[in-house]
Each structure stands twice: as structure tokens, then as C-alpha cells.
Amino acid sequence: MSETGGQSPEYDEFGDLSESRVEVEIREGSKEGSDYVITMRDGSKPDGPTLVFTPAEWEAFVAGVRDGEFDLDENGALVELPDQPGGSAGSDS
């Protein structure tokens, strides 16, 4: 996918089409009243599932990535985050 509305993705010297990679695209469409959606998929599996985010969901996902919410330890388990001011890590409240 690309951010150019359906054109083929561009690949650089860091990978090729056979490697697993995340592809993100901004598309026209509506989800929960948004004017557009952000889609994400494994580019090596074009027929595989695609995640669809509203702009607000995408912002929350990116903030979680930046905060280390999805970091894995050497065993592949999620890293325990320290408690955050105003709430505890991993809590839904």
C-alpha cells in the first residue's frame, strides 16, 4: 500500500517484496464518522488481514508505540511499563 491512493509501494535497499513489512496507507472512507481511515497490513501477505483505524485510533496507537506500550523483551513477552501518573500501566480505567 502507499499513501498515494493505490499506487504500488516503493521499496528501498533495506528490504524486498519477500520480506515481512508493515504497510500503512491513508484512504478515503469512513469509520465512526471520520472522513478517512488509516490501514495497516503485512505487505508480504497482500491477501492477509488489514487493520483499519480512525484518525483518533491511529493517534492513540502511535502514542502507545512511542511510549513503549508494545515493546517486547528478549523472550518476546510484553515489557512491563512503570506506573504512569494518573493511572496504572496496562489498566483500562
Side-chain angles (χ1 to χ4, degrees):
M1 291 181 192
S2 69
E3 290 189 30
T4 57
Q7 295 179 359
S8 296
E10 295 182 22
Y11 297 93
D12 58 27
E13 69 274 9
F14 298 110
D16 63 43
L17 292 172
S18 65
E19 293 181 6
S20 178
R21 70 179 68 248
V22 174
E23 294 180 352
V24 176
E25 182 177 16
I26 299 172
R27 294 182 153 191
E28 289 183 21
S30 179
K31 179 181 175 192
E32 298 177 17
S34 65
D35 294 333
Y36 63 93
V37 295
I38 298 93
T39 61
M40 183 169 64
R41 71 173 184 172
D42 179 347
S44 69
K45 299 176 183 167
D47 294 328
T50 299
L51 300 174
V52 180
F53 298 87
T54 66
E57 290 169 335
W58 182 254
E59 288 178 26
F61 171 73
V62 170
V65 169
R66 288 183 177 144
D67 288 344
E69 187 174 337
F70 308 106
D71 289 355
L72 302 177
D73 67 15
E74 61 277 355
N75 297 316
L78 286 173
V79 173
E80 189 71 32
L81 295 177
D83 288 343
Q84 301 293 318
S88 80
S91 146
D92 290 333
S93 54

